[in-house]
Amino acid sequence: MASQMHTKGGAVVLVLNLLLLTQSQTEAKLLTRCQLAKELLRHDFPRSYLSNWVCLVESESGRSTSKSMQLPNQSVSYGLFQINSKNWCRKGRRGGICNIKCEEFLNDEISDDSRCAMQIFNRHGFQAWPGWMSKCRGRTLPDVSRC
């Protein structure tokens, strides 16, 4: 009986470890600069603005898909593009201008992030992102020509 419990307990631990490993692989990713550039192109970001987008993502999230940051106004910014909950998404439910749950921006599947970022860009340009304003505008942009 004790050996059966030990075996069952070991199986439970193994299953839990596999679930945690799977979750961490699918929910967060730190992209290299070239991985990011390729992903952006794959999601139809124009090559002519690619260096600006890479700079934006590097300055906003450090290329991490799982970054979230609470701001002084109590809103939260999410994911690679640091999309803000004040206007663009809603925490815990679909909503905002992008009609999406904010937490959807924290996984490593960036299709939804990309669609919303393009909506933001189409309304406000790169000026919508403080990181782009302070670290990219008027500065030397990342070289992604060899990616």
Side-chain angles (χ1 to χ4, degrees):
M1 179 94 150
S3 67
Q4 275 184 327
M5 287 182 77
H6 180 70
T7 303
K8 286 180 183 176
V12 168
V13 168
L14 178 62
V15 169
L16 288 174
N17 283 336
L18 287 173
L19 285 172
L20 288 172
L21 180 62
T22 303
Q23 182 178 10
S24 67
Q25 287 177 343
T26 58
E27 291 202 5
K29 188 182 281 186
L30 184 61
L31 300 168
T32 67
R33 181 175 281 175
C34 282
Q35 285 173 328
L36 173 62
K38 289 174 185 174
E39 278 293 303
L40 294 174
L41 289 172
R42 199 168 70 78
H43 287 91
D44 298 323
F45 283 76
R47 186 173 288 281
S48 59
Y49 288 124
L50 190 59
S51 290
N52 276 286
W53 282 108
V54 168
C55 186
L56 182 153
V57 169
E58 288 180 350
S59 63
E60 292 287 340
S61 67
R63 299 189 311 266
S64 173
T65 61
S66 64
K67 183 175 180 184
S68 64
M69 188 168 73
Q70 175 113 23
L71 301 175
N73 68 0
Q74 301 308 305
S75 68
V76 179
S77 293
Y78 293 88
L80 270 182
F81 300 98
Q82 288 296 281
I83 296 171
N84 192 265
S85 63
K86 184 177 179 197
N87 296 314
W88 303 102
C89 60
R90 291 291 172 262
K91 188 174 180 181
R93 62 180 172 85
R94 291 179 70 88
I97 294 169
C98 292
N99 193 30
I100 192 165
K101 192 163 88 169
C102 296
E103 293 83 359
E104 296 293 318
F105 297 135
L106 296 176
N107 58 36
D108 65 2
E109 206 300 293
I110 69 163
S111 294
D112 46 12
D113 312 50
S114 297
R115 277 190 299 275
C116 189
M118 287 305 271
Q119 272 191 285
I120 297 167
F121 177 78
N122 288 335
R123 286 180 179 227
H124 303 288
F126 289 117
Q127 293 82 3
W129 285 275
W132 183 87
M133 294 292 288
S134 65
K135 296 182 179 166
C136 307
R137 182 174 68 166
R139 298 184 184 216
T140 302
L141 297 171
D143 180 9
V144 291
S145 63
R146 293 191 180 119
C147 296

